[in-house]
Amino acid sequence: MKQDATRSAAYTVDCEDYVHVVEFNPFDSGDSGNLIAYGGGNYVVIGMCTFQEEEADVEGIQYKTLRTFQHGVRVDGIAWSPETRLDSLPPVIKFCTSAADMKIRLFTSDLQDKNEYKVLEGHSDFINGLVFDPKEGQEIASVSDDHTCRIWNLEGMQTAHFVLHSPGMSVCWHPEETFKLMVAEKNGTIRFYDLLTQQAILSLESEQMPLMSAHWCLKNTFKVGAVAGNDWLIWDITRSSYPQDKRPVHMDQACLFRWSTINENLFATTGYPGKIASQFQIHHLGHPQPVLIGSVAVGSGLSWHRTLPLCAIGGDHKLLFWVTEM
């Protein structure tokens, strides 16, 4: 008998507005809790959450908003800086956003009086992905519908600029070798760039369009995953430039792909919020079927917890959290 994998969210947190994007802080901020950021129509909220899976005295989820930042325009993307620290005095909260006005905003706060942001301008179309360099946090990479990938320093100056053949959908930075960058294009090509020589060093082909999202597996950087058309695809870059594994997953078209931060065989995908409900699925490479299927009335964003097999998705006036086994 096949066990039904469909589940409702394990935990929810109520929000003031529709949530467009949600990101757990992927870096250790020196505190036992987990920083989470989510963005709505014109604001960003920074919160702290602790789950019963990690703290015995917590029942379900413990959530607290630390600060709300006015944003003035819809938030499309959020990236955390590794410089964020809660164990320093004063604490440092640092993140950047991409917005509907094609600008990047770099926020810095001590959660008290100092709350500033700087605007990074240059893209001429929607920004689909952004990420901080994970070691020092001194640079930001972004990709856009304007067919470029741009590297910025924290002063807002562009330090590199790569011309793409189609819209840039995702960008990832190598966790150790910070001169390596992965850029995924809508036409199905994923390229790796050497930031020192500013040259492409390797490319992968999905042979499917449109590629909507790709992610570098940080537990095993030989693995790359993506969603294109209705399918998820996995590459082993040591073996071939073509996918090693692929499977149809979302009938309406797949939207996002994210590897788990703790297990190189675990990943999640979402479908487009469309006809009925946005499908959210967790997959394990050892299982032919999804290990968990969640249904969200309207869902956007997708982020894995830094140390637990737990996913967050934004919904209508709420954050939704699903937990799976390792």
Side-chain angles (χ1 to χ4, degrees):
M1 190 180 116
K2 185 173 158 287
Q3 191 187 357
D4 183 23
T6 307
R7 299 213 188 14
S8 52
Y11 313 115
T12 57
V13 168
D14 291 330
C15 308
E16 311 237 316
D17 190 5
Y18 179 82
V19 178
H20 288 285
V21 60
V22 56
E23 291 292 340
F24 279 113
N25 180 10
F27 306 108
D28 180 4
S29 61
D31 193 277
S32 61
N34 309 274
L35 285 167
I36 192 166
Y38 66 89
N42 56 9
Y43 66 88
V44 179
V45 174
I46 301 296
M48 174 74 95
C49 45
T50 311
F51 298 90
Q52 64 184 18
E53 282 77 4
E54 54 190 339
E55 292 279 339
D57 53 355
V58 170
E59 225 174 281
I61 180 176
Q62 197 169 32
Y63 172 82
K64 175 175 141 215
T65 292
L66 300 180
R67 186 157 207 107
T68 300
F69 296 86
Q70 292 309 311
H71 197 266
V73 58
R74 190 187 73 221
V75 184
D76 288 336
I78 299 172
W80 283 93
S81 162
E83 290 193 290
T84 293
R85 300 301 301 179
L86 290 177
D87 56 357
S88 60
L89 277 171
V92 178
I93 296 283
K94 203 169 207 173
F95 62 94
C96 64
T97 61
S98 58
D101 61 1
M102 301 174 267
K103 294 172 187 167
I104 296 169
R105 288 166 177 78
L106 171 61
F107 287 84
T108 311
S109 169
D110 62 2
L111 297 176
Q112 286 144 21
D113 311 326
K114 183 190 162 191
N115 296 287
E116 20 184 87
Y117 74 88
K118 183 185 290 295
V119 177
L120 283 56
E121 292 189 62
H123 280 300
S124 59
D125 210 333
F126 285 115
I127 299 162
N128 296 314
L130 73 170
V131 64
F132 272 89
D133 104 61
K135 275 267 195 271
E136 308 291 328
Q138 295 307 298
E139 289 187 304
I140 296 164
S142 58
V143 288
S144 161
D145 279 351
D146 67 11
H147 294 210
T148 65
C149 169
R150 298 167 196 247
I151 314 290
W152 316 75
N153 65 21
L154 302 191
E155 277 66 63
M157 304 292 292
Q158 286 185 42
T159 57
H161 177 129
F162 300 104
V163 177
L164 311 177
H165 298 270
S166 68
M169 302 306 291
S170 299
V171 59
C172 300
W173 222 301
H174 193 289
E176 303 301 328
E177 301 163 37
T178 51
F179 56 89
K180 282 187 187 163
L181 198 69
M182 184 203 91
V183 175
E185 295 190 36
K186 199 169 190 171
N187 67 5
T189 303
I190 298 173
R191 280 192 189 79
F192 297 84
Y193 292 93
D194 180 327
L195 294 178
L196 303 177
T197 62
Q198 301 203 0
Q199 298 290 321
I201 45 180
L202 178 73
S203 69
L204 307 174
E205 293 298 336
S206 71
E207 299 188 296
Q208 270 172 269
M209 288 166 49
L211 187 153
M212 297 310 290
S213 170
H215 198 212
W216 209 342
C217 180
L218 301 184
K219 286 295 281 183
N220 174 356
T221 50
F222 292 145
K223 279 183 169 171
V224 171
V227 285
N230 299 336
D231 300 0
W232 59 252
L233 311 101
I234 311 274
W235 289 260
D236 174 344
I237 64 175
T238 61
R239 292 198 173 175
S240 168
S241 58
Y242 295 103
Q244 204 187 352
D245 208 349
K246 69 174 189 178
R247 221 158 281 167
V249 60
H250 296 285
M251 293 323 293
D252 285 343
Q253 195 183 338
C255 179
L256 294 173
F257 182 108
R258 294 285 185 275
W259 289 104
S260 155
T261 43
I262 52 174
N263 181 333
E264 64 171 80
N265 293 311
L266 204 58
F267 60 95
T269 58
T270 62
Y272 267 88
K275 296 167 189 165
I276 318 162
S278 171
Q279 286 280 327
F280 151 72
Q281 301 190 6
I282 295 180
H283 313 267
H284 190 287
L285 285 176
H287 295 264
Q289 300 296 328
V291 292
L292 188 151
I293 298 171
S295 186
V296 198
V298 276
S300 46
L302 173 63
S303 184
W304 284 91
H305 188 284
R306 191 173 65 85
T307 56
L308 293 173
L310 182 148
C311 270
I313 285 188
D316 186 6
H317 289 73
K318 54 168 80 80
L319 294 175
L320 304 138
F321 301 91
W322 276 267
V323 188
T324 184
E325 290 77 46
M326 283 284 284

